[in-house]
Amino acid sequence: MKKILLAALAAAAAVFASKKLQQSKAEKALWADATDKLPEA
């Protein structure tokens, strides 16, 4: 029983970490786009 609980907890932690990483990448890309230097004319 403990092994199943541990496996479920590990899977939940992996999903949480994956979503956080994806969210962080999206926010980083947004900031990079928002603070992009203007092209010189």
Side-chain angles (χ1 to χ4, degrees):
M1 182 69 180
K2 287 183 181 179
K3 288 183 181 181
I4 294 172
L5 185 59
L6 186 60
L9 186 60
V15 169
F16 178 76
S18 175
K19 285 187 177 185
K20 273 293 195 185
L21 183 64
Q22 190 176 20
Q23 186 180 23
S24 176
K25 283 183 179 181
E27 190 166 343
K28 191 174 182 179
L30 179 64
W31 274 107
D33 189 41
T35 59
D36 211 7
K37 293 184 177 182
L38 293 174
E40 295 183 20

